[in-house]
């Protein structure tokens, strides 16, 4: 199936003198992490199904600089951001969609200070807009009636106030949506924020991702839905630490929609 997915690059569009409706910012996880690549593929399938005219930067896309900035290396962040902004502005990009809340947050809120002004959307918000425009339809399919809980990514929820778009998509799948005690404004981090994804945890009684997974397990879900590749990794590791991977799946909402549709 992967061979039949056509993903055009901005360079190809420019060569034809065309501009896409939206640029899909893939991000480091979606490009290089084997698990996150599945989210990328699922989202691309949905874009094709909705006949969205999109392109990616391909080899011209670099890390947004979010991990560097969060880890305190402002110099490296500004170098990475400046390079990306130069490429984006060179292509006269206006609208960007990404499956990573970290990329979403930094391009939306921090790139403008360095001269990068774009309309930036998280993929759950973009998918919801496609539904509202009638370009995409979502039905229950294989998740109908299943007990699902949604983990709010920090940079999507508390960082940018986006709580309903992912939940609206899950409701369209006709699932039984159950909330954890700590959700929405009171949600807890998966443990990967602030560049913690790339280092060993600090000494303490319990890893953050395990504590968050336990909170999810309390509501006895069949699937823990996520909207962030980092959260996906951390919660998957949490589920494995409880030896429950055969009972509880961790899935991105884009994957759930693509799976429900058997794309």
């Amino acid at each position: 199936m992967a061979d039949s997915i056509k993903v055009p690059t901005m360079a190809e569009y420019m060569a034809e003198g065309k501009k896409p409706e939206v640029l899909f910012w893939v991000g480091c996880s979606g490009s290089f992490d084997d698990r996150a690549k599945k989210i990328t593929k699922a989202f691309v399938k949905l874009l094709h199904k909705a006949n969205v005219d999109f392109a990616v930067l391909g080899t011209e896309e670099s890390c947004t600089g979010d991990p560097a900035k969060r880890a305190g290396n402002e110099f490296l962040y500004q170098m990475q951001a400046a390079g990306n902004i130069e490429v984006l502005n060179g292509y006269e990009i206006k609208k960007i969609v990404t499956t990573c809340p970290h990329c979403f947050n930094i391009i939306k809120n921090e790139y403008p200070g360095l001269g990068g002004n774009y309309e930036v959307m998280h993929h759950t918000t973009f998918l919801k807009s496609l539904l509202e425009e009638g370009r995409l339809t979502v039905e229950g399919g294989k998740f109908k009636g299943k007990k699902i809980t949604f983990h709010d990514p920090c940079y999507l929820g508390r960082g940018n106030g986006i709580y309903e778009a992912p939940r609206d998509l899950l409701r369209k799948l006709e699932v039984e949506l159950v909330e954890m005690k700590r959700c929405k404004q009171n949600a807890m981090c998966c443990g990967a924020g602030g560049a913690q994804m790339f280092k060993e945890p600090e000494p303490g009684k319990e890893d953050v991702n395990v504590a968050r997974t336990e909170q999810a397990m309390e509501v006895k879900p069949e699937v823990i839905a996520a909207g962030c590749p980092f959260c996906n990794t951390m919660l998957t590791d949490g589920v494995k630490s409880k030896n429950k991977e055969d009972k509880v799946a961790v899935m991105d909402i884009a994957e759930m929609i693509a799976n429900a549709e058997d794309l």
Side-chain angles (χ1 to χ4, degrees), residues 140-192:
K142 60 182 72 169
F143 296 103
K144 189 170 183 173
K146 289 201 169 176
K147 199 184 257 195
I148 314 284
T149 193
F150 178 67
H151 162 76
D152 288 281
C154 294
Y155 280 117
L156 190 64
R158 293 198 307 279
N160 286 284
I162 297 173
Y163 300 108
E164 291 313 315
R167 287 173 171 81
D168 287 344
L169 291 172
L170 287 170
R171 287 187 196 102
K172 285 276 193 287
L173 288 170
E174 297 170 56
V175 305
E176 183 193 340
L177 184 61
V178 282
E179 296 288 3
M180 296 180 229
K181 272 189 198 143
R182 294 192 61 176
C183 66
K184 299 188 180 177
Q185 290 88 338
N186 192 35
M188 186 168 126
C189 179
C190 70

Side-chain angles (χ1 to χ4, degrees), residues 13-48:
Y13 264 78
M14 279 294 277
E16 293 174 24
K18 293 194 305 188
K19 278 190 184 171
E21 177 185 340
V22 64
L23 174 82
F24 172 27
W25 185 277
V26 183
C28 300
S29 282
S31 301
F32 300 113
D33 181 84
D34 285 343
R35 175 66 188 86
K37 282 180 197 172
K38 293 177 181 173
I39 302 170
T40 304
K41 284 179 184 168
F43 184 56
V44 165
K45 286 176 186 174
L46 294 173
L47 291 175
H48 277 301

Side-chain angles (χ1 to χ4, degrees), residues 70-71 189-211 234:
R70 303 297 165 227
C189 179
C190 70
Q196 298 291 319
M197 176 87 174
F198 307 105
K199 58 182 272 301
E200 289 303 310
E202 310 286 333
K205 286 190 292 202
E206 187 175 38
D207 288 352
V208 176
N209 66 314
V210 175
M234 300 303 270

Side-chain angles (χ1 to χ4, degrees), residues 2-243:
D3 300 330
S4 64
I5 301 175
K6 177 81 180 88
V7 182
T9 63
M10 277 307 300
E12 289 167 357
Y13 264 78
M14 279 294 277
E16 293 174 24
K18 293 194 305 188
K19 278 190 184 171
E21 177 185 340
V22 64
L23 174 82
F24 172 27
W25 185 277
V26 183
C28 300
S29 282
S31 301
F32 300 113
D33 181 84
D34 285 343
R35 175 66 188 86
K37 282 180 197 172
K38 293 177 181 173
I39 302 170
T40 304
K41 284 179 184 168
F43 184 56
V44 165
K45 286 176 186 174
L46 294 173
L47 291 175
H48 277 301
K49 183 165 187 271
N51 289 317
V52 175
D53 191 16
F54 75 98
V56 298
L57 287 176
T59 53
E60 293 184 274
E61 181 185 300
S62 174
C63 178
T64 58
D66 173 79
K69 186 176 179 80
R70 303 297 165 227
N73 193 335
E74 182 68 21
F75 177 68
L76 177 57
Y77 156 66
Q78 292 208 12
M79 272 175 46
Q80 289 181 299
N84 285 325
I85 289 166
E86 192 178 340
V87 172
L88 291 166
N89 289 352
Y91 282 126
E92 297 178 355
I93 297 296
K94 299 283 186 284
K95 190 171 180 179
I96 298 172
V97 63
T98 178
T99 53
C100 175
H102 296 253
C103 299
F104 164 71
N105 177 70
I106 207 157
I107 299 173
K108 176 177 180 278
N109 297 320
E110 299 182 33
Y111 273 29
L114 298 171
N117 294 284
Y118 321 101
E119 181 192 350
V120 192
M121 296 179 84
H122 184 251
H123 71 303
T124 54
T125 312
F126 188 69
L127 289 171
K128 190 186 170 197
S129 72
L130 293 176
L131 278 175
E132 287 168 350
E133 290 163 22
R135 297 169 70 181
L136 187 68
T137 53
V138 176
E139 273 136 32
K142 60 182 72 169
F143 296 103
K144 189 170 183 173
K146 289 201 169 176
K147 199 184 257 195
I148 314 284
T149 193
F150 178 67
H151 162 76
D152 288 281
C154 294
Y155 280 117
L156 190 64
R158 293 198 307 279
N160 286 284
I162 297 173
Y163 300 108
E164 291 313 315
R167 287 173 171 81
D168 287 344
L169 291 172
L170 287 170
R171 287 187 196 102
K172 285 276 193 287
L173 288 170
E174 297 170 56
V175 305
E176 183 193 340
L177 184 61
V178 282
E179 296 288 3
M180 296 180 229
K181 272 189 198 143
R182 294 192 61 176
C183 66
K184 299 188 180 177
Q185 290 88 338
N186 192 35
M188 186 168 126
C189 179
C190 70
Q196 298 291 319
M197 176 87 174
F198 307 105
K199 58 182 272 301
E200 289 303 310
E202 310 286 333
K205 286 190 292 202
E206 187 175 38
D207 288 352
V208 176
N209 66 314
V210 175
R212 184 57 170 159
T213 304
E214 284 169 355
Q215 293 169 14
M217 295 286 201
E218 277 175 16
V219 298
K220 300 186 168 47
E222 290 173 70
V223 180
I224 302 172
C228 170
F230 287 8
C231 297
N232 201 303
T233 297
M234 300 303 270
L235 294 168
T236 299
D237 286 352
V239 169
K240 282 178 182 164
S241 76
K242 300 290 178 192
N243 295 314

